[in-house]
Amino acid sequence: MRIIRILLRSTIGLVLVMSVVLNLALAFVNFVLQPIWKAAAVATAVATTKTAAKASEKTAVAKTKVREKAKGRLRRLTVAVPIAGVAAAAAFEYNDYTEWLEENPEGTVDQYTRETIETTKLVIDEVLDELPAWLSIDREQLIGQMEAVFAQMRSLVGN
């Protein structure tokens, strides 16, 4: 009987010691490691948000740049076509095309032309509104002149 009592006491003692050790381990995880994991999660979320914001800002800047180039193109076209002719405007456009080609090495002249005309149609009314009242230019006539410039530019490119 005495052996059973000693065995029972030692088993209860062992269970108590294991319980204390397990509680200490859980407390360590709860109070030390969990805040570290939360801080890491917050840091990851902040980094992801910053990356997304930079990408969004970069896209907005690129769109603004394309719009401003389209406005500049229209202004040059309104001046160059009556004065120097289509060839001068085509030379200006060829310079823009080579810049675009650096950003889009797989692009073709037709892709550039389509993209440029689409962008130009978006900003053409803004540009025409900025022109003086005595300089009346028809929207469709201006787009027709652009297409003539692109045709001339295609002959410069050779495609």
Side-chain angles (χ1 to χ4, degrees):
M1 196 66 167
R2 189 174 166 181
I3 293 179
I4 293 176
R5 233 186 291 157
I6 293 173
L7 202 56
L8 192 57
R9 278 186 190 169
S10 61
T11 303
I12 291 173
L14 184 63
V15 167
L16 286 175
V17 169
M18 291 300 292
S19 174
V20 169
V21 169
L22 185 61
N23 279 327
L24 286 174
L26 288 175
F28 177 76
V29 167
N30 193 35
F31 294 112
V32 176
L33 294 182
Q34 198 173 39
I36 292 172
W37 290 332
K38 285 182 180 178
V42 168
T44 302
V46 167
T48 303
T49 304
K50 282 184 180 179
T51 303
K54 282 183 182 179
S56 171
E57 182 180 341
K58 198 173 192 179
T59 302
V61 168
K63 284 183 179 180
T64 302
K65 185 178 174 183
V66 167
R67 287 180 64 87
E68 290 306 312
K69 277 189 169 187
K71 286 181 179 180
R73 179 179 298 110
L74 283 170
R75 289 182 185 114
R76 285 194 310 261
L77 190 62
T78 57
V79 172
V81 170
I83 296 172
V86 174
F92 288 130
E93 198 56 47
Y94 179 75
N95 288 335
D96 286 345
Y97 168 70
T98 55
E99 288 177 17
W100 178 85
L101 201 55
E102 289 174 5
E103 296 172 4
N104 304 286
E106 299 295 321
T108 65
V109 176
D110 291 329
Q111 288 173 332
Y112 171 75
T113 302
R114 275 193 308 274
E115 183 179 312
T116 303
I117 288 178
E118 287 173 12
T119 305
T120 301
K121 285 181 180 179
L122 293 174
V123 298
I124 194 167
D125 293 325
E126 288 179 44
V127 173
L128 291 177
D129 288 343
E130 292 174 4
L131 293 175
W134 58 268
L135 186 63
S136 63
I137 297 176
D138 181 49
R139 182 181 199 273
E140 297 306 317
Q141 180 183 6
L142 189 56
I143 291 174
Q145 289 174 344
M146 263 190 86
E147 290 170 352
V149 166
F150 286 128
Q152 183 72 29
M153 189 191 76
R154 276 192 194 98
S155 68
L156 288 173
V157 174
N159 289 3

mmCIF file with all atom_site columns, all heavy atoms in Angstrom, residues 142-156:
data_model
loop_
_atom_site.group_PDB
_atom_site.id
_atom_site.type_symbol
_atom_site.label_atom_id
_atom_site.label_alt_id
_atom_site.label_comp_id
_atom_site.label_asym_id
_atom_site.label_entity_id
_atom_site.label_seq_id
_atom_site.pdbx_PDB_ins_code
_atom_site.Cartn_x
_atom_site.Cartn_y
_atom_site.Cartn_z
_atom_site.occupancy
_atom_site.B_iso_or_equiv
_atom_site.pdbx_formal_charge
_atom_site.auth_seq_id
_atom_site.auth_comp_id
_atom_site.auth_asym_id
_atom_site.auth_atom_id
_atom_site.pdbx_PDB_model_num
ATOM 1   N N   . LEU A 1 142 ? -9.254  68.223 -87.733 1.00 0.00 ? 142 LEU A N   1
ATOM 2   C CA  . LEU A 1 142 ? -7.997  68.069 -87.003 1.00 0.00 ? 142 LEU A CA  1
ATOM 3   C C   . LEU A 1 142 ? -7.610  66.594 -86.887 1.00 0.00 ? 142 LEU A C   1
ATOM 4   O O   . LEU A 1 142 ? -6.452  66.229 -87.074 1.00 0.00 ? 142 LEU A O   1
ATOM 5   C CB  . LEU A 1 142 ? -8.112  68.715 -85.623 1.00 0.00 ? 142 LEU A CB  1
ATOM 6   C CG  . LEU A 1 142 ? -6.832  68.832 -84.814 1.00 0.00 ? 142 LEU A CG  1
ATOM 7   C CD1 . LEU A 1 142 ? -5.753  69.585 -85.584 1.00 0.00 ? 142 LEU A CD1 1
ATOM 8   C CD2 . LEU A 1 142 ? -7.106  69.525 -83.493 1.00 0.00 ? 142 LEU A CD2 1
ATOM 9   N N   . ILE A 1 143 ? -8.576  65.746 -86.614 1.00 0.00 ? 143 ILE A N   1
ATOM 10  C CA  . ILE A 1 143 ? -8.285  64.304 -86.544 1.00 0.00 ? 143 ILE A CA  1
ATOM 11  C C   . ILE A 1 143 ? -7.870  63.790 -87.916 1.00 0.00 ? 143 ILE A C   1
ATOM 12  O O   . ILE A 1 143 ? -6.953  62.962 -88.041 1.00 0.00 ? 143 ILE A O   1
ATOM 13  C CB  . ILE A 1 143 ? -9.504  63.533 -85.983 1.00 0.00 ? 143 ILE A CB  1
ATOM 14  C CG1 . ILE A 1 143 ? -9.678  63.894 -84.508 1.00 0.00 ? 143 ILE A CG1 1
ATOM 15  C CG2 . ILE A 1 143 ? -9.339  62.032 -86.156 1.00 0.00 ? 143 ILE A CG2 1
ATOM 16  C CD1 . ILE A 1 143 ? -10.921 63.324 -83.867 1.00 0.00 ? 143 ILE A CD1 1
ATOM 17  N N   . GLY A 1 144 ? -8.499  64.303 -88.973 1.00 0.00 ? 144 GLY A N   1
ATOM 18  C CA  . GLY A 1 144 ? -8.095  63.925 -90.339 1.00 0.00 ? 144 GLY A CA  1
ATOM 19  C C   . GLY A 1 144 ? -6.653  64.344 -90.626 1.00 0.00 ? 144 GLY A C   1
ATOM 20  O O   . GLY A 1 144 ? -5.890  63.600 -91.255 1.00 0.00 ? 144 GLY A O   1
ATOM 21  N N   . GLN A 1 145 ? -6.275  65.538 -90.163 1.00 0.00 ? 145 GLN A N   1
ATOM 22  C CA  . GLN A 1 145 ? -4.896  65.989 -90.334 1.00 0.00 ? 145 GLN A CA  1
ATOM 23  C C   . GLN A 1 145 ? -3.934  65.073 -89.565 1.00 0.00 ? 145 GLN A C   1
ATOM 24  O O   . GLN A 1 145 ? -2.847  64.767 -90.052 1.00 0.00 ? 145 GLN A O   1
ATOM 25  C CB  . GLN A 1 145 ? -4.746  67.433 -89.852 1.00 0.00 ? 145 GLN A CB  1
ATOM 26  C CG  . GLN A 1 145 ? -5.415  68.451 -90.745 1.00 0.00 ? 145 GLN A CG  1
ATOM 27  C CD  . GLN A 1 145 ? -5.371  69.854 -90.146 1.00 0.00 ? 145 GLN A CD  1
ATOM 28  O OE1 . GLN A 1 145 ? -5.117  70.033 -88.964 1.00 0.00 ? 145 GLN A OE1 1
ATOM 29  N NE2 . GLN A 1 145 ? -5.656  70.842 -90.987 1.00 0.00 ? 145 GLN A NE2 1
ATOM 30  N N   . MET A 1 146 ? -4.359  64.645 -88.381 1.00 0.00 ? 146 MET A N   1
ATOM 31  C CA  . MET A 1 146 ? -3.521  63.718 -87.601 1.00 0.00 ? 146 MET A CA  1
ATOM 32  C C   . MET A 1 146 ? -3.297  62.425 -88.361 1.00 0.00 ? 146 MET A C   1
ATOM 33  O O   . MET A 1 146 ? -2.195  61.890 -88.396 1.00 0.00 ? 146 MET A O   1
ATOM 34  C CB  . MET A 1 146 ? -4.184  63.395 -86.262 1.00 0.00 ? 146 MET A CB  1
ATOM 35  C CG  . MET A 1 146 ? -3.683  64.207 -85.126 1.00 0.00 ? 146 MET A CG  1
ATOM 36  S SD  . MET A 1 146 ? -4.296  63.547 -83.600 1.00 0.00 ? 146 MET A SD  1
ATOM 37  C CE  . MET A 1 146 ? -3.072  62.324 -83.288 1.00 0.00 ? 146 MET A CE  1
ATOM 38  N N   . GLU A 1 147 ? -4.352  61.914 -88.957 1.00 0.00 ? 147 GLU A N   1
ATOM 39  C CA  . GLU A 1 147 ? -4.222  60.671 -89.713 1.00 0.00 ? 147 GLU A CA  1
ATOM 40  C C   . GLU A 1 147 ? -3.285  60.863 -90.911 1.00 0.00 ? 147 GLU A C   1
ATOM 41  O O   . GLU A 1 147 ? -2.505  59.965 -91.252 1.00 0.00 ? 147 GLU A O   1
ATOM 42  C CB  . GLU A 1 147 ? -5.600  60.166 -90.131 1.00 0.00 ? 147 GLU A CB  1
ATOM 43  C CG  . GLU A 1 147 ? -6.402  59.665 -88.934 1.00 0.00 ? 147 GLU A CG  1
ATOM 44  C CD  . GLU A 1 147 ? -7.858  59.362 -89.242 1.00 0.00 ? 147 GLU A CD  1
ATOM 45  O OE1 . GLU A 1 147 ? -8.320  59.680 -90.363 1.00 0.00 ? 147 GLU A OE1 1
ATOM 46  O OE2 . GLU A 1 147 ? -8.532  58.826 -88.349 1.00 0.00 ? 147 GLU A OE2 1
ATOM 47  N N   . ALA A 1 148 ? -3.323  62.045 -91.517 1.00 0.00 ? 148 ALA A N   1
ATOM 48  C CA  . ALA A 1 148 ? -2.395  62.329 -92.610 1.00 0.00 ? 148 ALA A CA  1
ATOM 49  C C   . ALA A 1 148 ? -0.962  62.383 -92.096 1.00 0.00 ? 148 ALA A C   1
ATOM 50  O O   . ALA A 1 148 ? -0.030  61.892 -92.750 1.00 0.00 ? 148 ALA A O   1
ATOM 51  C CB  . ALA A 1 148 ? -2.771  63.651 -93.282 1.00 0.00 ? 148 ALA A CB  1
ATOM 52  N N   . VAL A 1 149 ? -0.778  62.964 -90.920 1.00 0.00 ? 149 VAL A N   1
ATOM 53  C CA  . VAL A 1 149 ? 0.551   63.014 -90.306 1.00 0.00 ? 149 VAL A CA  1
ATOM 54  C C   . VAL A 1 149 ? 1.053   61.594 -90.034 1.00 0.00 ? 149 VAL A C   1
ATOM 55  O O   . VAL A 1 149 ? 2.206   61.265 -90.309 1.00 0.00 ? 149 VAL A O   1
ATOM 56  C CB  . VAL A 1 149 ? 0.524   63.849 -89.000 1.00 0.00 ? 149 VAL A CB  1
ATOM 57  C CG1 . VAL A 1 149 ? 1.780   63.639 -88.180 1.00 0.00 ? 149 VAL A CG1 1
ATOM 58  C CG2 . VAL A 1 149 ? 0.356   65.318 -89.330 1.00 0.00 ? 149 VAL A CG2 1
ATOM 59  N N   . PHE A 1 150 ? 0.183   60.740 -89.515 1.00 0.00 ? 150 PHE A N   1
ATOM 60  C CA  . PHE A 1 150 ? 0.582   59.359 -89.238 1.00 0.00 ? 150 PHE A CA  1
ATOM 61  C C   . PHE A 1 150 ? 0.908   58.585 -90.520 1.00 0.00 ? 150 PHE A C   1
ATOM 62  O O   . PHE A 1 150 ? 1.810   57.775 -90.536 1.00 0.00 ? 150 PHE A O   1
ATOM 63  C CB  . PHE A 1 150 ? -0.474  58.628 -88.416 1.00 0.00 ? 150 PHE A CB  1
ATOM 64  C CG  . PHE A 1 150 ? -0.499  59.046 -86.984 1.00 0.00 ? 150 PHE A CG  1
ATOM 65  C CD1 . PHE A 1 150 ? -1.672  59.444 -86.382 1.00 0.00 ? 150 PHE A CD1 1
ATOM 66  C CD2 . PHE A 1 150 ? 0.650   59.047 -86.220 1.00 0.00 ? 150 PHE A CD2 1
ATOM 67  C CE1 . PHE A 1 150 ? -1.704  59.839 -85.053 1.00 0.00 ? 150 PHE A CE1 1
ATOM 68  C CE2 . PHE A 1 150 ? 0.641   59.433 -84.899 1.00 0.00 ? 150 PHE A CE2 1
ATOM 69  C CZ  . PHE A 1 150 ? -0.539  59.832 -84.322 1.00 0.00 ? 150 PHE A CZ  1
ATOM 70  N N   . ALA A 1 151 ? 0.182   58.875 -91.568 1.00 0.00 ? 151 ALA A N   1
ATOM 71  C CA  . ALA A 1 151 ? 0.480   58.231 -92.851 1.00 0.00 ? 151 ALA A CA  1
ATOM 72  C C   . ALA A 1 151 ? 1.883   58.655 -93.329 1.00 0.00 ? 151 ALA A C   1
ATOM 73  O O   . ALA A 1 151 ? 2.671   57.823 -93.799 1.00 0.00 ? 151 ALA A O   1
ATOM 74  C CB  . ALA A 1 151 ? -0.571  58.589 -93.887 1.00 0.00 ? 151 ALA A CB  1
ATOM 75  N N   . GLN A 1 152 ? 2.176   59.943 -93.181 1.00 0.00 ? 152 GLN A N   1
ATOM 76  C CA  . GLN A 1 152 ? 3.500   60.439 -93.556 1.00 0.00 ? 152 GLN A CA  1
ATOM 77  C C   . GLN A 1 152 ? 4.577   59.817 -92.660 1.00 0.00 ? 152 GLN A C   1
ATOM 78  O O   . GLN A 1 152 ? 5.647   59.444 -93.111 1.00 0.00 ? 152 GLN A O   1
ATOM 79  C CB  . GLN A 1 152 ? 3.528   61.971 -93.443 1.00 0.00 ? 152 GLN A CB  1
ATOM 80  C CG  . GLN A 1 152 ? 4.829   62.612 -93.878 1.00 0.00 ? 152 GLN A CG  1
ATOM 81  C CD  . GLN A 1 152 ? 5.020   62.579 -95.364 1.00 0.00 ? 152 GLN A CD  1
ATOM 82  O OE1 . GLN A 1 152 ? 4.066   62.588 -96.124 1.00 0.00 ? 152 GLN A OE1 1
ATOM 83  N NE2 . GLN A 1 152 ? 6.260   62.520 -95.804 1.00 0.00 ? 152 GLN A NE2 1
ATOM 84  N N   . MET A 1 153 ? 4.281   59.690 -91.376 1.00 0.00 ? 153 MET A N   1
ATOM 85  C CA  . MET A 1 153 ? 5.239   59.122 -90.433 1.00 0.00 ? 153 MET A CA  1
ATOM 86  C C   . MET A 1 153 ? 5.508   57.651 -90.765 1.00 0.00 ? 153 MET A C   1
ATOM 87  O O   . MET A 1 153 ? 6.621   57.182 -90.673 1.00 0.00 ? 153 MET A O   1
ATOM 88  C CB  . MET A 1 153 ? 4.726   59.234 -89.001 1.00 0.00 ? 153 MET A CB  1
ATOM 89  C CG  . MET A 1 153 ? 5.778   58.850 -87.964 1.00 0.00 ? 153 MET A CG  1
ATOM 90  S SD  . MET A 1 153 ? 5.115   58.686 -86.327 1.00 0.00 ? 153 MET A SD  1
ATOM 91  C CE  . MET A 1 153 ? 4.285   57.131 -86.437 1.00 0.00 ? 153 MET A CE  1
ATOM 92  N N   . ARG A 1 154 ? 4.472   56.923 -91.182 1.00 0.00 ? 154 ARG A N   1
ATOM 93  C CA  . ARG A 1 154 ? 4.664   55.518 -91.570 1.00 0.00 ? 154 ARG A CA  1
ATOM 94  C C   . ARG A 1 154 ? 5.688   55.413 -92.706 1.00 0.00 ? 154 ARG A C   1
ATOM 95  O O   . ARG A 1 154 ? 6.478   54.474 -92.737 1.00 0.00 ? 154 ARG A O   1
ATOM 96  C CB  . ARG A 1 154 ? 3.344   54.901 -92.006 1.00 0.00 ? 154 ARG A CB  1
ATOM 97  C CG  . ARG A 1 154 ? 2.514   54.386 -90.888 1.00 0.00 ? 154 ARG A CG  1
ATOM 98  C CD  . ARG A 1 154 ? 1.353   53.525 -91.392 1.00 0.00 ? 154 ARG A CD  1
ATOM 99  N NE  . ARG A 1 154 ? 0.403   53.318 -90.323 1.00 0.00 ? 154 ARG A NE  1
ATOM 100 C CZ  . ARG A 1 154 ? -0.711  54.013 -90.141 1.00 0.00 ? 154 ARG A CZ  1
ATOM 101 N NH1 . ARG A 1 154 ? -1.007  54.985 -90.978 1.00 0.00 ? 154 ARG A NH1 1
ATOM 102 N NH2 . ARG A 1 154 ? -1.501  53.759 -89.145 1.00 0.00 ? 154 ARG A NH2 1
ATOM 103 N N   . SER A 1 155 ? 5.650   56.384 -93.607 1.00 0.00 ? 155 SER A N   1
ATOM 104 C CA  . SER A 1 155 ? 6.627   56.347 -94.703 1.00 0.00 ? 155 SER A CA  1
ATOM 105 C C   . SER A 1 155 ? 8.039   56.612 -94.178 1.00 0.00 ? 155 SER A C   1
ATOM 106 O O   . SER A 1 155 ? 9.011   56.088 -94.719 1.00 0.00 ? 155 SER A O   1
ATOM 107 C CB  . SER A 1 155 ? 6.248   57.324 -95.799 1.00 0.00 ? 155 SER A CB  1
ATOM 108 O OG  . SER A 1 155 ? 6.378   58.662 -95.333 1.00 0.00 ? 155 SER A OG  1
ATOM 109 N N   . LEU A 1 156 ? 8.164   57.417 -93.086 1.00 0.00 ? 156 LEU A N   1
ATOM 110 C CA  . LEU A 1 156 ? 9.467   57.643 -92.466 1.00 0.00 ? 156 LEU A CA  1
ATOM 111 C C   . LEU A 1 156 ? 9.975   56.375 -91.796 1.00 0.00 ? 156 LEU A C   1
ATOM 112 O O   . LEU A 1 156 ? 11.151  56.042 -91.859 1.00 0.00 ? 156 LEU A O   1
ATOM 113 C CB  . LEU A 1 156 ? 9.403   58.756 -91.429 1.00 0.00 ? 156 LEU A CB  1
ATOM 114 C CG  . LEU A 1 156 ? 9.246   60.183 -91.910 1.00 0.00 ? 156 LEU A CG  1
ATOM 115 C CD1 . LEU A 1 156 ? 9.032   61.119 -90.723 1.00 0.00 ? 156 LEU A CD1 1
ATOM 116 C CD2 . LEU A 1 156 ? 10.475  60.600 -92.683 1.00 0.00 ? 156 LEU A CD2 1
#
